[in-house]
Amino acid sequence: MTPHTNTNTPAYNAETDPVLKFSQLDVNFKTEFGRVHAVKGLDLQVMPGEVVALVGESGSGKSVTATTALGLLPKTARIGGQTLVADKIINELSERGLRSVRGNRVAMVFQEPMTALNPVIRIGEQLTEAMEVHGIAHGREAWDRAVGLLEAVGIPAARRRAREFPHELSGGMRQRVVIAMALACDPEVIIADEPTTALDVTVQADILDLLRSLKDQLNTGILLITHNMGVVADMADRVAVMFKGEIVERGTVEEVLLNPQHPYTRRLLDAVPHLGAGHGQFGTSPLPVAADAGMALEVKDLVVEYKREGKKPFRAVDGVSIDVRRGEIVGLVGESGSGKSTIGRALLGLIPSTSGEVRVLGTDALSVRGKGGNELRKRIGVIFQDPAASLNPRLPVGDVIAEPMSVHKVARGKEREKKVLDLLEAVQLPRSAYNRYPHELSGGQRQRVSIARALSLQPDLLIADEPTSALDVSVQASVLEMLIGLQREFGFACLFISHDLAVIDSLAHRVVVMQYGKVVERGNRDQVLMNPQEEYTKRLLAAAPVPNPIEQKRRRDERHALLASLGDEIVTLDTRELSM
């Protein structure tokens, strides 16, 4: 790494001095309701070649802290204390000085690569732009270096990919491009803000391997911002736990994750689902399925195709058969693009099926029409992944929950109001939420509203599509505990769609694994998750991180051995391509 010098500040030693340092950082935001104190006197530093994880839930101040290092906070922010990137004091730099630091001395890897990449500019051009702005390389030299960067981060056919647009790449490929952009100007420190939250477990494992080799081979400091304790266990050297703008605990990854001292840290770790722990992780377990339980859902040879102009139809679901008995929770797992959510939408009639048979509670769901269709829909509840997108923002919560009752003409007036209030109590929301609007609630509260609405007609079958993936771990834990409790109380059958294997382990009776639109393995929860038979299932399970650094290192070594036995390469940084 090329050392930077600055004659206006004390000599900076790139080997022994912190590459990122916050001293008594204090951030206030001016709002219409007064000032909000987001960060309160924070002290933190990152050394060369070190990964420091800053963990905490949404609203704890993690991202505000990181954004301070790039000088990107809005004008409404009042910043106290000092932020240093190598030998640069960020607070004292002009806008021109900040532009010279961003990308060149400190780079950022964002959570969602599609928001970090320009959708109308080719990948290669986005990489060369940073190099040309900072005078690293120009013209053909910059283009060749861009291709080298793509090859370094493990993107195959890099010269062709450099001429493609972001939408032509998978999510994992796009995140690798963002990492390549972060490396373009050889920064001393990289801030990774939830870099794997939007990725499947196998892609996440690849990105973590890449980041780990980056810090090992280039001696780059990394500030990792996340609420995923499995990622922390896999990546971090040191951990700082943030709560309401303050660091409440810090130490090595082993000290913090294996022997937490602060009640908030213990609460966070207790809320993390652990693959292999099985039922009862959240204080309650689903009831066993009765031996004589009838079928709530029967899917036979389902095919769903999407038509493409001038091309052969794309088969998203290819001859899938699934069944769910009354009172049973079946986990449907697989990576993005495996067809799980397509099945959920097809079962709800939101997209047409090409062929196959779907029977819900003994009724042919694909052919039923009119009054019979309405009666069947009354018996099916649905919970979507993003509550903000599935709740009508113009209706108060009481009307949102009552809407299915209104559509199906169930209960009226005071009786309907009482049912809504009872549902609010069942999902552990205060009665005062009745007249509030969705935007006035937190993400976890909105998902509780979604669950209350799904249960408003007391369905016999619930379809839940990634209902907790957008939530913080402690909120996720409380929602899952509540969902299991409601399932015990109401006895509904549930098809639970998820890519989080630890969540499935905590609540499912049986598991169905999908890949490329087909079922590759199925069986009882412990049979599939503890003793997988299929190669794809083994890959999924090996890639799922656990919140114990010692156990996670063992799992990582076992995953690398599995990949080697299957002839797959481990994704690491190819520094030969960076030396071009």
Side-chain angles (χ1 to χ4, degrees):
M1 183 175 289
T2 305
H4 299 271
T5 58
N6 187 334
T7 56
N8 298 323
T9 59
Y12 167 70
N13 188 321
E15 298 298 323
T16 59
D17 290 342
V19 289
L20 177 64
K21 184 177 181 181
F22 301 100
S23 297
Q24 286 296 297
L25 178 66
D26 200 271
V27 182
N28 282 275
F29 288 98
K30 184 180 180 182
T31 72
E32 58 181 309
F33 304 109
R35 288 208 164 265
V36 174
H37 206 173
V39 181
K40 306 169 184 175
L42 179 139
D43 290 302
L44 187 68
Q45 64 181 34
V46 181
M47 301 300 292
E50 179 184 42
V51 177
V52 175
L54 188 59
V55 304
E57 296 173 295
S58 298
S60 61
K62 310 184 303 292
S63 293
V64 171
T65 300
T67 309
T68 307
L70 291 121
L72 290 175
L73 290 179
K75 296 186 185 301
T76 54
R78 188 168 64 195
I79 305 168
Q82 194 179 70
T83 301
L84 287 100
V85 172
D87 57 349
K88 297 287 187 181
I89 302 174
I90 298 299
N91 319 48
E92 299 177 0
L93 294 178
S94 64
E95 188 58 39
R96 183 177 180 180
L98 285 171
R99 280 197 298 270
S100 72
V101 169
R102 295 175 192 141
N104 196 29
R105 311 295 295 274
V106 56
M108 190 122 180
V109 176
F110 292 96
Q111 175 177 349
E112 177 47 66
M114 277 305 281
T115 62
L117 297 173
N118 191 322
V120 297
I121 298 179
R122 297 180 194 276
I123 295 297
E125 293 168 7
Q126 297 191 53
L127 283 163
T128 59
E129 182 182 19
M131 290 183 264
E132 291 175 345
V133 165
H134 291 288
I136 303 294
H138 297 274
R140 171 53 61 182
E141 182 189 354
W143 184 266
D144 288 342
R145 180 172 164 80
V147 172
L149 282 164
L150 294 178
E151 290 175 344
V153 297
I155 292 182
R159 199 163 292 278
R160 174 172 62 84
R161 293 293 191 184
R163 298 189 179 280
E164 293 181 343
F165 293 95
H167 73 271
E168 297 180 89
L169 276 63
S170 68
M173 290 278 194
R174 287 196 290 262
Q175 194 62 293
R176 292 189 204 183
V177 169
V178 172
I179 292 172
M181 289 176 68
L183 292 173
C185 298
D186 198 19
E188 280 102 329
V189 61
I190 290 177
I191 297 171
D193 190 357
E194 301 279 10
T196 62
T197 298
L199 304 176
D200 293 317
V201 286
T202 49
V203 180
Q204 171 180 271
D206 286 343
I207 295 299
L208 294 179
D209 282 339
L210 181 58
L211 287 171
R212 193 179 303 105
S213 67
L214 187 158
K215 68 112 175 178
D216 289 341
Q217 296 183 44
L218 297 183
N219 206 35
T220 307
I222 298 176
L223 179 62
L224 175 67
I225 296 170
T226 185
H227 64 260
N228 187 325
M229 292 299 185
V231 171
V232 172
D234 199 27
M235 277 290 296
D237 299 305
R238 290 190 297 117
V239 182
V241 182
M242 205 164 177
F243 178 60
K244 293 185 177 179
E246 299 179 285
I247 291 179
V248 295
E249 186 164 356
R250 67 177 82 214
T252 66
V253 65
E254 290 83 6
E255 289 170 346
V256 174
L257 297 193
L258 300 182
N259 188 27
Q261 300 299 307
H262 195 276
Y264 176 70
T265 312
R266 290 198 292 269
R267 196 163 73 243
L268 269 185
L269 290 167
D270 288 343
V272 179
H274 193 130
L275 183 62
H279 290 168
Q281 295 186 52
F282 301 114
T284 186
S285 302
L287 291 173
V289 182
D292 59 348
M295 288 296 176
L297 174 68
E298 297 170 273
V299 180
K300 293 183 180 177
D301 301 322
L302 182 68
V303 174
V304 179
E305 292 182 337
Y306 292 105
K307 294 180 180 179
R308 300 183 291 179
E309 190 173 343
K311 295 182 179 180
K312 185 181 178 181
F314 172 69
R315 184 163 286 195
V317 177
D318 189 2
V320 167
S321 297
I322 300 172
D323 60 76
V324 183
R325 291 179 292 170
R326 289 177 179 268
E328 182 180 38
I329 301 176
V330 172
L332 185 60
V333 303
E335 296 172 296
S336 295
S338 62
K340 357 180 257 303
S341 292
T342 301
I343 286 177
R345 288 193 288 269
L347 298 183
L348 294 166
L350 298 177
I351 55 174
S353 303
T354 305
S355 63
E357 182 181 345
V358 176
R359 298 188 71 81
V360 177
L361 306 163
T363 301
D364 185 348
L366 298 184
S367 62
V368 69
R369 296 287 186 273
K371 187 176 180 180
N374 288 337
E375 287 300 315
L376 183 62
R377 280 189 284 273
K378 280 173 61 176
R379 303 176 71 183
I380 305 174
V382 57
I383 308 169
F384 293 102
Q385 178 175 354
D386 185 359
S390 63
L391 302 180
N392 190 331
R394 298 180 178 179
L395 294 180
V397 164
D399 290 350
V400 167
I401 296 172
E403 190 173 21
M405 291 187 265
S406 176
V407 169
H408 292 283
K409 298 180 173 56
V410 173
R412 296 179 184 277
K414 292 292 183 183
E415 183 186 357
R416 183 179 296 174
E417 181 180 338
K418 182 181 183 302
K419 279 181 174 288
V420 171
L421 292 172
D422 287 345
L423 283 164
L424 284 173
E425 185 177 339
V427 297
Q428 298 163 23
L429 283 174
R431 290 188 164 214
S432 59
Y434 188 95
N435 291 314
R436 297 168 70 183
Y437 286 85
H439 73 271
E440 297 179 274
L441 305 179
S442 68
Q445 288 175 321
R446 285 196 292 264
Q447 195 59 291
R448 289 168 187 265
V449 172
S450 294
I451 294 169
R453 180 180 62 180
L455 298 178
S456 61
L457 298 175
Q458 295 187 354
D460 295 298
L461 173 65
L462 187 68
I463 295 174
D465 189 2
E466 301 275 12
T468 62
S469 64
L471 305 177
D472 286 325
V473 285
S474 59
V475 179
Q476 172 183 267
S478 63
V479 168
L480 288 172
E481 180 183 6
M482 181 197 69
L483 194 59
I484 294 169
L486 291 170
Q487 197 268 345
R488 290 174 65 96
E489 180 181 350
F490 292 101
F492 52 78
C494 180
L495 181 66
F496 196 99
I497 301 167
S498 179
H499 68 261
D500 191 326
L501 297 169
V503 167
I504 293 295
D505 188 27
S506 71
L507 55 78
H509 295 98
R510 287 190 297 122
V511 180
V512 177
V513 183
M514 286 190 67
Q515 181 188 28
Y516 302 139
K518 295 185 178 184
V519 172
V520 295
E521 189 162 359
R522 69 177 83 223
N524 292 332
R525 173 190 53 82
D526 53 351
Q527 175 187 330
V528 174
L529 298 184
M530 297 302 110
N531 187 28
Q533 301 301 305
E534 297 298 321
E535 176 187 305
Y536 176 69
T537 312
K538 291 177 182 176
R539 287 175 189 261
L540 276 183
L541 290 164
V546 296
N548 180 314
I550 297 172
E551 183 183 351
Q552 179 54 28
K553 184 182 184 307
R554 176 184 59 78
R555 288 177 59 85
R556 184 170 69 241
D557 292 342
E558 289 174 353
R559 173 177 177 268
H560 290 170
L562 173 66
L563 293 179
S565 70
L566 298 173
D568 288 355
E569 291 186 8
I570 299 165
V571 180
T572 56
L573 192 71
D574 188 346
T575 52
R576 294 171 299 176
E577 301 296 340
L578 297 180
S579 61
M580 293 177 60

